[in-house]
Amino acid sequence: MITTITLNPALDKLMKIDAINIGETNRAEILSTSAAGKGIDVAKVLRDFNREVNATGFLGGIVAPIFKQCFQDEKINDHFINIKGTTRTNIQLFDTKGKRTELLEKGPKIETNELTELLHKVEELSKKSTVVAICGSAPRGVDEDYFTKLIQLCKNYCDKVIVDTSGSLLKVAIEQKPCLIKPNQDEMLELMGVQSATQDQMLDFAQEICRQGIEYVLISLGKEGAMLVSEQGAWKGKAPEVEVKSTLGCGDTVVASMCISFAEGDQPEEMLKKAIALSSANAMTFETAHVIESDYKSLLPRCHVEKIK
């Protein structure tokens, strides 16, 4: 069993617009509306590969029934905590030049009793999970102390804990030493406290993090692929050339792939190869966090991974 935790889910609206004119009326075409959030997107990909998955987090307000219907349709085991506040709505605007503009709500304020209820639920689910993935940002009311408790609780009952977050919460994750963290290049630079760095410098910094007790650091490199770093070595893989329709959800497919690899006991080289292939397959579809299995299988032999340290 795999469990995903999404503290700050969002109803995602993808919209197309000719151009954005600030201060004027802008008319856009809705492309899709979907229940989303990083952990939920991970769960969707896991279901594409027929993995049983529990999903939990905070959920409330008038958009909650949309999420409930999604979980039912996707056959995701719904363990979300009902809250008084309203789950946020995010808008992704795509213009005719292919640029994407995001309008992201902060999310609801979580009450003390709701925070406690989630901890109880996470304890219950972690006890029967082979992998737990904590993904995304945090709503108001979830501070660094609470995030620390959440990671510690997962680790108490599950050996394989993945954390995919950013900012101060990523620093908390490093202190708590989950099995894997997944920063992108910008997040690595922020951790390093620099404006720019070579891939070798990022690799050395990631390996230092691993020496502190984290088993793996997976660094997303966009079109350049990814690096998987451990104390014992590092591997780099490059994404194959594909017709990219949307990069939304590619990072979440990487997390989903790592969940499967941990559950199956893959070696690092195979873990990275599968993660890159799955992310590339996601990029070939406009639908966020869904892959076509035949695309994935055709891409897998085209993903080259080599040990670089």
Side-chain angles (χ1 to χ4, degrees):
M1 178 70 72
I2 297 171
T3 294
T4 70
I5 302 171
T6 311
L7 299 174
N8 203 16
L11 182 69
D12 271 3
K13 285 189 175 182
L14 274 59
M15 309 178 78
K16 183 171 69 174
I17 193 169
D18 291 334
I20 301 172
N21 299 306
I22 304 298
E24 299 182 14
T25 299
N26 292 269
R27 302 191 184 280
E29 175 188 351
I30 295 180
L31 299 174
S32 67
T33 301
S34 61
K38 295 183 74 64
I40 293 172
D41 287 345
V42 170
K44 291 177 184 177
V45 177
L46 290 170
R47 288 302 304 142
D48 284 343
F49 286 82
N50 296 313
R51 298 287 170 158
E52 189 173 1
V53 57
N54 292 322
T56 190
F58 300 114
L59 187 62
I62 60 174
V63 301
I66 299 174
F67 284 80
K68 298 294 184 181
Q69 186 62 53
C70 167
F71 300 147
Q72 183 177 330
D73 293 343
E74 301 275 357
K75 295 182 174 58
I76 294 169
N77 299 323
D78 174 16
H79 295 277
F80 272 78
I81 304 303
N82 293 322
I83 61 172
K84 292 181 181 178
T86 298
T87 295
R88 61 190 178 139
T89 296
N90 290 340
I91 296 175
Q92 312 268 352
L93 286 169
F94 293 86
D95 65 22
T96 53
K97 295 181 180 179
K99 291 184 178 180
R100 183 180 77 195
T101 299
E102 296 181 304
L103 301 175
L104 309 181
E105 292 183 14
K106 287 185 177 180
K109 172 71 167 63
I110 310 300
E111 304 293 335
T112 301
N113 64 306
E114 296 163 349
L115 294 169
T116 301
E117 189 176 353
L118 180 65
L119 290 178
H120 291 321
K121 178 57 68 175
V122 167
E123 179 178 359
E124 173 194 329
L125 297 176
S126 296
K127 288 178 179 179
K128 49 189 176 185
S129 297
T130 54
V131 184
V132 176
I134 308 170
C135 306
S137 63
R140 289 170 292 164
V142 174
D143 58 16
E144 293 180 11
D145 287 341
Y146 184 84
F147 201 68
T148 297
K149 291 178 185 177
L150 186 65
I151 298 173
Q152 289 175 344
L153 186 61
C154 295
K155 287 182 61 183
N156 284 344
Y157 298 103
C158 182
D159 290 335
K160 301 298 184 183
V161 178
I162 297 172
V163 180
D164 180 17
T165 188
S166 59
S168 63
L169 296 186
L170 179 56
K171 294 178 181 179
V172 169
I174 292 173
E175 293 172 358
Q176 297 308 311
K177 302 175 179 59
C179 184
L180 179 141
I181 59 172
K182 192 200 72 60
N184 59 29
Q185 292 184 80
D186 290 340
E187 290 159 353
M188 279 298 296
L189 294 177
E190 183 178 352
L191 287 173
M192 296 169 71
V194 298
Q195 296 295 318
S196 63
T198 65
Q199 289 184 10
D200 284 343
Q201 289 170 329
M202 287 190 286
L203 189 158
D204 290 340
F205 188 84
Q207 207 151 41
E208 178 58 34
I209 292 175
C210 293
R211 281 191 280 270
Q212 297 172 20
I214 291 179
E215 190 172 354
Y216 293 106
V217 177
L218 199 161
I219 307 171
S220 301
L221 301 172
K223 293 180 180 179
E224 293 298 313
M227 290 191 293
L228 182 62
V229 184
S230 73
E231 190 174 358
Q232 289 72 38
W235 296 260
K236 182 179 179 182
K238 185 171 174 57
E241 291 290 333
V242 299
E243 182 182 351
V244 175
K245 293 184 179 178
S246 173
T247 58
L248 287 176
C250 283
D252 301 327
T253 60
V254 167
V255 174
S257 183
M258 297 303 291
C259 287
I260 295 172
S261 283
F262 281 151
E264 294 183 346
D266 289 337
Q267 294 301 305
E269 182 176 345
E270 189 68 14
M271 291 163 61
L272 184 57
K273 184 177 181 180
K274 288 180 176 180
I276 292 174
L278 198 60
S279 178
S280 298
N282 179 80
M284 294 171 64
T285 68
F286 193 79
E287 188 176 6
T288 303
H290 273 300
V291 297
I292 299 171
E293 189 172 359
S294 60
D295 289 341
Y296 167 70
K297 289 182 176 179
S298 68
L299 288 169
L300 197 55
R302 296 169 53 194
C303 294
H304 176 67
V305 172
E306 60 178 348
K307 190 169 185 179
I308 56 177
K309 190 170 183 180

